[in-house]
Amino acid sequence: MTDSPAQVRPDRRAELAAGLARVRSRIADACAAAGRERSEVTMIAVTKTYPASDVIALAGLGVTDVGENRDQEAAAKAAQVAAARVTPRWHFIGQLQRNKVKSVVRYADMVQSVDRVRLVSALDVAATAARDRQLDVLVQVSVDGDAARGGAVPASSDPDVGFGPVVEAVAAAPGLRLAGVMAVAPLGWEPVRAFGRLAALAEALRAEHPQATIVSAGMSGDLEAAISQGATHVRVGSALLGMRPTLR
Ligand SMILES: *Cc1c(COP(=O)(O)O)cnc(C)c1O
């Protein structure tokens, strides 16, 4: 007999509660060290590779936001969670192919990984057709300018992957709402330096688009650095749920 997703084993629930307490205290300490209010930072639980039952347990512990990076996995999980009448905000944080946008716009509250003009138009068409309100979008930034690893490239006017062109495409799309920026610190970079660059870009963006207030930065290993540089959202997976079996 398989457990239904709504049934959470007590030992797993205790494990998640302990992980959550540790991460919450790290976030609180980082806010205090940065002179910021705790309420300025939202934690997104990155539940990729973990089952719907974990999402439901985390929601029961007060987690409001969850992140997923693969459509196939996320769509199934979101359906199971909804069937249990649990309604977290779903953030799509992974590389997104245009043939997946129709699916993603049905369950995602925010897409954080928009980094190409061609993806913006596909997402806009899908969001307009399937949703009764705008889809929140973050423009993913390639802090080191290497577009191959994902992210729009600052100071590039490339019509598909330049940061400016992607921003303007999102701002002009009726089905989308430009809500801010997201980044992953590049390998080999000091996280404070990477997130400092992101913060400067976010500030320049807000000057043009005042509603674009979200800065999604920081993961299990570098959330303190991100909070010190003004992150409003941190995306935490392994520190909360445990090490994933495969790196992705
Ligand atoms: C997996 C993932 C995370 C979470 O990473 P952890 O190191 O497990 O906290 C954050 N952001 C993105 C884009 C991810 O793919």
Side-chain angles (χ1 to χ4, degrees):
M1 204 181 85
T2 53
D3 288 348
S4 92
Q7 293 173 323
V8 181
R9 288 171 44 197
D11 54 342
R12 180 56 174 159
R13 193 184 154 86
E15 211 167 74
L16 291 171
L20 186 59
R22 281 193 302 270
V23 171
R24 281 180 172 155
S25 102
R26 282 178 62 188
I27 294 173
D29 288 351
C31 286
R36 302 181 60 198
E37 295 291 330
R38 173 63 186 83
S39 59
E40 292 175 40
V41 178
T42 300
M43 187 201 72
I44 299 169
V46 177
T47 49
K48 62 190 181 193
T49 77
Y50 288 101
S53 56
D54 280 359
V55 176
I56 292 164
L58 286 168
L61 295 165
V63 169
T64 55
D65 291 72
V66 296
E68 287 284 334
N69 73 335
R70 292 190 180 191
D71 171 62
Q72 209 177 0
E73 177 184 345
K77 208 178 293 181
Q80 288 183 300
V81 170
R85 295 196 173 74
V86 173
T87 54
R89 285 176 57 81
W90 293 88
H91 299 257
F92 192 85
I93 63 172
Q95 213 179 45
L96 184 53
Q97 307 299 328
R98 278 183 290 167
N99 62 359
K100 304 287 191 194
V101 298
K102 267 192 180 172
S103 171
V104 168
V105 299
R106 287 196 206 105
Y107 60 83
D109 296 290
M110 186 183 294
V111 176
Q112 299 205 353
S113 43
V114 172
D115 61 358
R116 284 161 296 147
V117 169
R118 280 181 302 175
L119 176 61
V120 174
S121 34
L123 205 55
D124 182 36
V125 168
T128 303
R131 302 169 60 93
D132 50 19
R133 57 187 197 88
Q134 286 181 312
L135 175 67
D136 281 344
V137 160
L138 304 186
V139 175
Q140 183 176 348
V141 177
S142 169
V143 170
D144 64 357
D146 181 358
R149 285 206 305 269
V153 180
S156 162
S157 56
D158 181 289
D160 196 35
V161 300
F163 179 72
V166 175
V167 162
E168 292 318 317
V170 174
L176 309 179
R177 179 179 165 275
L178 177 65
V181 290
M182 182 271 251
V184 177
L187 279 177
W189 276 56
E190 196 55 50
V192 167
R193 179 164 164 251
F195 297 138
R197 280 214 186 175
L198 180 68
L201 201 68
E203 190 182 345
L205 177 67
R206 283 195 303 274
E208 297 286 321
H209 300 281
Q211 84 287 2
T213 55
I214 293 179
V215 180
S216 173
M219 321 197 301
S220 292
D222 55 16
L223 68 89
E224 286 84 0
I227 290 171
S228 80
Q229 299 303 306
T232 63
H233 289 60
V234 292
R235 309 177 307 270
V236 185
S238 50
L240 190 58
L241 291 115
M243 291 304 286
R244 290 177 294 276
T246 53
L247 258 188
R248 59 179 209 180

